[in-house]
């Protein structure tokens, strides 16, 4: 039923009976994604859209996602991140699917969605308003804000580099918290965000940086099946940030296994 809906309501049973190999493959992939990763039919449909737009098979997208997320996300979380890539982002994206997936995973870790990153970029292309906000933020904060590169990436549809440049220009959480309310508002406005969104993004970026979780170490954490193992690892953590990160992984794991 789910595959039929995804394909715009075609009669799957009839297609299977007539020996349509493509449909057989799709049914198999859908079964794997719904059973193994607990995705809904709608989420699988979204991954299939990305596959169609990028000209890649669902299989290779799934493999790339799991591979890229190793150590920072569970396989299930990488699938969820993959299913949140909006078609309009995929259509505009000119880089490799690996970069697209990496951007989606990074966005998720920063507490954002790629659709939001794209709309921030769109806002920056409204040159008159965007330049006005940028100059105002510069005047109010004394920061050397320059969104030219971000605009360039937005124009090219390069969400991956756009996201990195937004982070780069946003500065540190520490700097942001030192600003007064008016400065914070002007900075967030120039970045196309609310103060709340900006704080969330910078807080998550800071967490990732401080925990200094290398992908090897994170893979090791990912491989730990039991909560007890993770607790033991947390007790031996080198820094409080690492400890918090491990505890955070543990609760994420417990929540996503339901």
């Amino acid at each position: 039923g789910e595959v039929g809906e995804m394909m715009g309501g075609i009669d799957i049973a009839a297609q299977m009976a007539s020996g349509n190999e493509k449909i057989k493959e799709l049914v198999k992939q859908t079964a794997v994604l719904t059973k193994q990763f607990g995705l809904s039919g709608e989420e699988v449909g979204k991954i299939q859209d990305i596959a169609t737009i990028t000209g890649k098979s669902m299989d290779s997208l799934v493999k790339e996602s799991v591979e890229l997320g190793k150590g920072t996300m569970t396989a299930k979380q990488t699938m969820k991140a993959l299913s949140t890539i909006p078609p309009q982002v995929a259509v505009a994206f000119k880089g490799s699917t690996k970069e697209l997936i990496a951007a989606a995973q990074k966005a998720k870790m920063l507490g954002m969605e790629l659709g939001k990153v794209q709309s921030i970029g769109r806002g920056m292309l409204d040159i008159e308003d965007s330049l006005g906000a940028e100059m105002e933020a510069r005047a109010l904060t004394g920061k050397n804000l320059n969104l030219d590169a971000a605009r360039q990436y937005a124009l090219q549809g390069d969400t991956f580099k756009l996201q990195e440049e937004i982070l780069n220009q946003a500065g540190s959480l520490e700097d942001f918290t030192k600003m007064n309310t008016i400065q914070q508002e002007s900075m967030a406005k120039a970045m196309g965000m609310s103060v709340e969104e900006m704080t969330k993004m910078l807080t998550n970026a800071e967490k990732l940086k401080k925990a200094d979780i290398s992908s090897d170490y994170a893979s090791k954490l990912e491989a730990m099946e039991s909560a007890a193992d993770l607790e033991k690892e947390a007790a031996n953590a080198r820094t409080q940030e690492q400890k918090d990160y491990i505890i955070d992984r543990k609760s994420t794991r417990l929540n996503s296994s339901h």
Side-chain angles (χ1 to χ4, degrees), residues 118-130:
Q118 190 189 40
S119 74
I120 289 173
R122 280 225 185 97
M124 287 177 180
L125 291 178
D126 188 341
I127 303 290
E128 215 173 312
D129 283 356
S130 180

Side-chain angles (χ1 to χ4, degrees), residues 31-256:
V32 169
L33 289 169
T34 48
K35 288 197 178 71
Q36 200 179 331
F37 297 110
L39 296 183
S40 66
E42 192 187 346
E43 286 170 325
V44 176
K46 286 180 176 164
I47 294 176
Q48 206 217 331
D49 289 346
I50 302 298
T52 307
I53 292 167
T54 58
K56 285 270 182 119
S57 70
M58 284 213 311
D59 251 2
S60 63
L61 286 181
V62 166
K63 281 191 188 114
E64 279 183 357
S65 290
V66 175
E67 197 53 43
L68 282 167
K70 256 205 183 113
T72 44
M73 292 178 148
T74 61
K76 187 175 173 180
Q77 285 167 331
T78 66
M79 290 303 100
K80 294 266 183 204
L82 182 59
S83 71
T84 62
I85 300 175
Q88 70 272 20
V89 172
V91 164
F93 199 76
K94 302 293 180 279
S96 66
T97 48
K98 274 199 173 137
E99 282 183 321
L100 180 63
I101 293 165
Q105 292 183 358
K106 178 89 176 256
K108 207 126 192 83
M109 286 156 85
L110 292 171
M112 289 163 78
E113 299 269 331
L114 272 194
K116 172 69 187 168
V117 178
Q118 190 189 40
S119 74
I120 289 173
R122 280 225 185 97
M124 287 177 180
L125 291 178
D126 188 341
I127 303 290
E128 215 173 312
D129 283 356
S130 180
L131 275 175
E134 183 183 328
M135 284 160 73
E136 190 179 323
R138 240 183 277 163
L140 285 168
T141 64
K143 275 183 121 19
N144 189 14
L145 186 65
N146 185 343
L147 300 175
D148 290 348
R151 285 188 194 96
Q152 196 54 43
Y153 297 138
L155 193 59
Q156 292 162 353
D158 193 335
T159 328
F160 180 75
K161 287 191 177 138
L162 171 62
Q163 183 165 246
E164 292 300 316
E165 186 57 21
I166 288 170
L167 269 177
N168 179 27
Q169 291 294 327
S172 70
L173 177 67
E174 190 187 358
D175 284 350
F176 192 65
T177 47
K178 280 181 183 158
M179 292 178 189
N180 66 35
T181 312
I182 292 170
Q183 289 172 324
Q184 284 178 345
E185 278 171 5
S186 74
M187 191 72 180
K189 186 183 169 193
M191 292 305 224
M193 292 183 233
S194 66
V195 170
E196 193 186 353
E197 285 168 334
M198 184 105 167
T199 307
K200 185 179 175 186
M201 177 187 82
L202 291 172
T203 305
N204 286 333
E206 188 71 14
K207 264 192 214 159
L208 289 172
K209 202 167 82 187
K210 274 211 175 134
D212 188 25
I213 300 290
S214 72
S215 43
D216 297 343
Y217 181 61
S219 304
K220 182 179 141 191
L221 294 181
E222 220 38 81
M224 291 182 182
E225 290 298 319
S226 71
D229 282 346
L230 280 167
E231 279 196 343
K232 206 160 79 186
E233 191 60 42
N236 296 326
R238 291 195 306 276
T239 61
Q240 183 59 41
E241 282 83 17
Q242 246 179 22
K243 190 174 186 165
D244 292 345
Y245 182 88
I246 299 167
I247 302 285
D248 196 36
R249 300 281 359 112
K250 193 183 105 182
S251 59
T252 313
R253 189 84 51 86
L254 291 176
N255 292 336
S256 69

